[in-house]
Amino acid sequence: MQRAGGASGAWVMDIKAPGNRVLFSWASRTHRILASNTKLFTTAAVLDRFGANARLKTRLYPRRRHARQGHTLEGSLVIVGAGDPALASVGFARRNDLPLTGIANLASDVRKAGIRRVTGAIRADDTVFDRHRGVPTSGVDASGELGPLSGLSYNSGFAGGHYAPNPELAAARKLKRRLRELGVRVKRGTGRADVPRSVLRRQPIGKVRSPKLAALIAETNRPSNNFFAEMLLKRLAARHGVQGTTRLGARKAERFARKLGGPVRMENGSGLSRSNRASPRHLGRFLVAMSRHRDGGSFRRSLPLAGRQGTVGDRMNGTAAEGRCRIKTGTLIGVSTFSGYCRAGHGLVAFSILMNSVDITTAHRAQDRMAALIARYGR
């Protein structure tokens, strides 16, 4: 810690030692910038609300109650978004190594239902979220770092190689093209529609489910996916009659953290802000509490494995930490954070190392050495 310098703090605990023994503490009570360690709080709160096996459901409804006339559907079809960050084309998901919710499956459901003609349009209902496309990013230039957010996002907000101003319309256009490929003619174009609750109480004509939430949080934490983090934070806040917003999601994540004894201040869900702060001690205690959570195993496995995966795939290779430590990193200008778990000689050790006002390369060297020391620890 002395070599790293700067405004840095650390906290390390042997989780199952008698008395929950703290192994190391260095300026651990001072709140520091979290960078992408913020994602630990976001994903844990989402996991607590929904559970590791939950899936988000994007549904397709006829706008009218009695719309079906033989092979013709009178009126429009409406895609109702669920805030699923993985809704995409197969090609986009493969190119970017992302989990996939295939929007084309909705078109297949329409075809299987025997519909060959739609007299109206394909409309998008994205009202599960507000329509703020970005998030607050105090002290950080986040341009290019985060795709536009929508309750019905598609391809992580990209369309035609650029960010789409209205991602939900990109989803509607894709569905219309896929329907045409399957021989279903849609007479009119695409647009938005806010579906009333009476429609949502009916049986959908089609639905597609996301990968399990465990896979969505792994995609958030391992490569440090900012888009997935912000989508999940908004989804945390969304309930019947309440739109998901970044502000409300952050408050819910903060309340969950306080409940577990690890208070945090969050402006957004990804860490693209210098206002997201917690102390190493509080973040460490939060990790200890999550190790005992009903879905603690899924949470821990969502973090990248040292020397093997994600943001630490090329770090700590050949050390005791390789294959034994799961670590969430975070980086902003002058900020390097490093928190997670190591399988040590006598069980699980939780740690949080938050380094501010540091040289990033120097910080990485110090963190890698500390992880190797933690992995070699034995009572």
Side-chain angles (χ1 to χ4, degrees), residues 93-168:
R94 284 177 178 167
R95 286 193 301 274
N96 295 281
D97 194 24
L98 295 171
L100 171 66
T101 307
I103 195 171
N105 294 343
L106 291 174
S108 298
D109 286 342
V110 174
R111 173 79 184 188
K112 289 174 185 175
I115 294 170
R116 300 295 180 267
R117 181 171 175 265
V118 177
T119 65
I122 302 298
R123 303 206 174 269
D125 185 331
D126 63 340
T127 54
V128 66
F129 292 170
D130 65 7
R131 288 192 176 128
H132 290 292
R133 301 305 186 202
V135 299
T137 56
S138 298
V140 174
D141 179 5
S143 55
E145 295 288 337
L146 180 66
L149 307 177
S150 169
L152 180 60
S153 187
Y154 179 67
N155 284 354
S156 296
F158 284 93
H162 304 282
Y163 285 143
N166 299 296
E168 65 281 358

Side-chain angles (χ1 to χ4, degrees), residues 28-104:
S28 65
R29 294 176 181 268
T30 301
H31 284 228
R32 306 191 189 279
I33 300 169
L34 288 167
S36 280
N37 271 204
T38 303
K39 294 181 176 75
L40 293 166
F41 294 101
T42 300
T43 53
V46 171
L47 192 62
D48 180 73
R49 180 185 167 188
F50 294 105
N53 294 320
R55 299 174 189 265
L56 305 178
K57 300 179 183 69
T58 301
R59 294 162 293 169
L60 187 65
Y61 290 91
R63 190 85 183 268
R64 298 180 184 174
R65 175 179 286 276
H66 302 293
R68 186 74 178 272
Q69 302 291 333
H71 294 301
T72 298
L73 188 138
E74 300 286 344
S76 296
L77 283 171
V78 185
I79 323 171
V80 179
D84 181 358
L87 193 68
S89 68
V90 173
F92 181 85
R94 284 177 178 167
R95 286 193 301 274
N96 295 281
D97 194 24
L98 295 171
L100 171 66
T101 307
I103 195 171

Side-chain angles (χ1 to χ4, degrees), residues 4 12 58 64 96 164 171 259 271 275 281 287 367:
V12 185
T58 301
R64 298 180 184 174
N96 295 281
K259 178 182 172 183
S275 295
R281 179 173 177 266
L287 292 173
Q367 292 162 1

Side-chain angles (χ1 to χ4, degrees), residues 315-334:
R315 292 176 61 179
M316 292 156 279
N317 304 85
T319 72
E322 181 178 359
R324 295 173 67 185
C325 296
R326 290 191 175 273
I327 304 162
K328 183 72 198 79
T329 61
T331 307
L332 294 172
I333 295 173

Side-chain angles (χ1 to χ4, degrees), residues 148-360:
L149 307 177
S150 169
L152 180 60
S153 187
Y154 179 67
N155 284 354
S156 296
F158 284 93
H162 304 282
Y163 285 143
N166 299 296
E168 65 281 358
L169 298 183
R173 287 191 291 270
K174 172 61 178 179
L175 180 60
K176 185 181 177 184
R177 287 195 300 271
R178 184 59 181 155
L179 285 168
R180 185 173 62 244
E181 291 166 1
L182 293 179
V184 180
R185 181 187 171 200
V186 179
K187 184 175 181 180
R188 298 178 63 189
T190 57
R192 290 199 192 100
D194 298 352
V195 175
R197 289 188 184 182
S198 59
V199 172
L200 298 180
R201 285 194 287 268
R202 303 177 204 156
Q203 188 72 16
I205 201 167
K207 63 182 175 182
V208 59
R209 302 193 305 164
S210 75
K212 290 182 180 181
L213 194 71
L216 301 183
I217 69 166
E219 171 57 31
T220 305
N221 286 329
R222 289 181 188 173
S224 208
N225 188 318
N226 295 321
F227 177 79
F228 271 56
E230 298 298 354
M231 288 285 287
L232 290 176
L233 187 74
K234 282 193 164 189
R235 190 63 184 86
L236 175 65
R239 297 176 188 274
H240 292 298
V242 178
Q243 286 188 319
T245 70
T246 298
R247 181 178 176 82
L248 184 56
R251 299 294 84 79
K252 288 184 176 295
E254 288 174 344
R255 283 198 291 273
F256 178 65
R258 283 197 301 273
K259 178 182 172 183
L260 267 61
V264 60
R265 197 278 188 191
M266 292 174 63
E267 185 177 53
N268 61 35
S270 62
L272 290 171
S273 171
R274 301 183 86 84
S275 295
N276 291 10
R277 293 176 179 251
S279 70
R281 179 173 177 266
H282 285 151
L283 177 45
R285 288 174 59 183
F286 180 80
L287 292 173
V288 171
M290 279 305 298
S291 74
R292 297 164 179 157
H293 191 273
R294 67 177 186 276
D295 286 319
S298 294
F299 177 70
R300 191 169 63 254
R301 287 188 294 273
S302 78
L303 309 185
L305 194 60
R308 309 278 179 83
Q309 296 172 327
T311 56
V312 291
D314 59 354
R315 292 176 61 179
M316 292 156 279
N317 304 85
T319 72
E322 181 178 359
R324 295 173 67 185
C325 296
R326 290 191 175 273
I327 304 162
K328 183 72 198 79
T329 61
T331 307
L332 294 172
I333 295 173
V335 175
S336 182
T337 57
F338 191 83
S339 304
Y341 305 94
C342 283
R343 283 281 175 197
H346 290 279
L348 202 61
V349 175
F351 61 91
S352 179
I353 303 166
L354 306 181
M355 295 181 170
N356 293 182
S357 304
V358 292
D359 173 78
I360 302 301

